[in-house]
Amino acid sequence: RSARDVAVFLIALAARLAFLFLVDEPLLYRHQYNYFQGGLSVAADPHPWAYVLRSDAWHQWGAWTMAPLYHLFVAMVFRVFGAHLVALQVVQCVLDALVAVLVARLGRRVSSRWGVAAGLAYALYWPSVEFPSRTYTENLHTVLLVAAFSVVAGAAGSTGRLRPLAGGFLLGLSALARAVSAAFLPVAALIA
């Protein structure tokens, strides 16, 4: 299984990096710049924790306060790798390639015969190939949401409480990236 997971990961990563570097698409819409600027403002602040705790300016768009986790993720990437869009995009490519592996694992739980096919389908699904090159909350949300389902599905039928709690924690984190994750709580409850 691990060799298949590595193959799914590498195929997904190659597709995303090829799109990133061969197409070289610029950020296209205002909200992509908003996420970029929000993360940059946190990363550039001399006291980022104080700025995050005392201000909402870094995760607002017009009159709306947006889910904060993606902005913090962008800021963390900028603090670690420098304030370069390409660094963020490459990290997002790696995360989304991980999603393909998680999809393969979920697919194996449903049908061991088709798990790798599910992972490969996600790996080559065009919107998922394009998204990591853009600054969208989905780039963090998707990996957290699919990881949550993978953990919860792995806990199905077990008597332990740690895995469902870990899955719930990941689902909660995904909701901090995109509030739409709250809609998946009933699905997670049914699985667990």
Side-chain angles (χ1 to χ4, degrees):
R1 288 183 186 177
S2 63
R4 291 178 182 169
D5 287 346
V6 169
V8 167
F9 178 83
L10 292 175
I11 290 167
L13 185 61
R16 282 146 186 76
L17 291 174
F19 180 84
L20 173 63
F21 291 112
L22 296 176
V23 175
D24 194 24
E25 181 180 82
L27 298 181
L28 298 174
Y29 305 105
R30 281 185 336 156
H31 58 287
Q32 289 186 59
Y33 285 100
N34 183 62
Y35 295 129
F36 182 82
Q37 286 298 118
L40 188 60
S41 69
V42 173
D45 195 272
H47 306 287
W49 287 112
Y51 179 55
V52 165
L53 294 173
R54 294 185 182 136
S55 172
D56 281 333
W58 54 274
H59 68 112
Q60 286 184 333
W61 188 23
W64 297 96
T65 300
M66 304 172 78
L69 195 57
Y70 182 71
H71 293 89
L72 296 175
F73 164 74
V74 171
M76 181 195 69
V77 170
F78 287 166
R79 294 285 289 212
V80 171
F81 298 108
H84 304 287
L85 179 60
V86 172
L88 175 63
Q89 291 168 320
V90 169
V91 168
Q92 290 179 164
C93 287
V94 170
L95 288 178
D96 205 61
L98 179 60
V99 173
V101 173
L102 292 171
V103 168
R105 288 183 178 181
L106 281 170
R108 277 198 302 271
R109 286 194 176 98
V110 173
S111 170
S112 60
R113 183 175 168 189
W114 296 103
V116 172
L120 288 173
Y122 183 85
L124 299 174
Y125 179 58
W126 188 249
S128 69
V129 170
E130 292 180 297
F131 257 64
S133 67
R134 300 171 182 163
T135 53
Y136 285 132
T137 58
E138 287 86 344
N139 289 302
L140 182 60
H141 173 260
T142 303
V143 71
L144 291 170
L145 181 67
V146 177
F149 281 126
S150 182
V151 169
V152 169
S158 69
T159 58
R161 292 276 185 221
L162 190 56
R163 286 187 73 124
L165 286 173
F169 178 76
L170 289 168
L171 187 60
L173 281 179
S174 73
L176 288 173
R178 282 190 65 82
V180 71
S181 285
F184 292 100
L185 283 172
V187 176
L190 285 173
I191 294 171

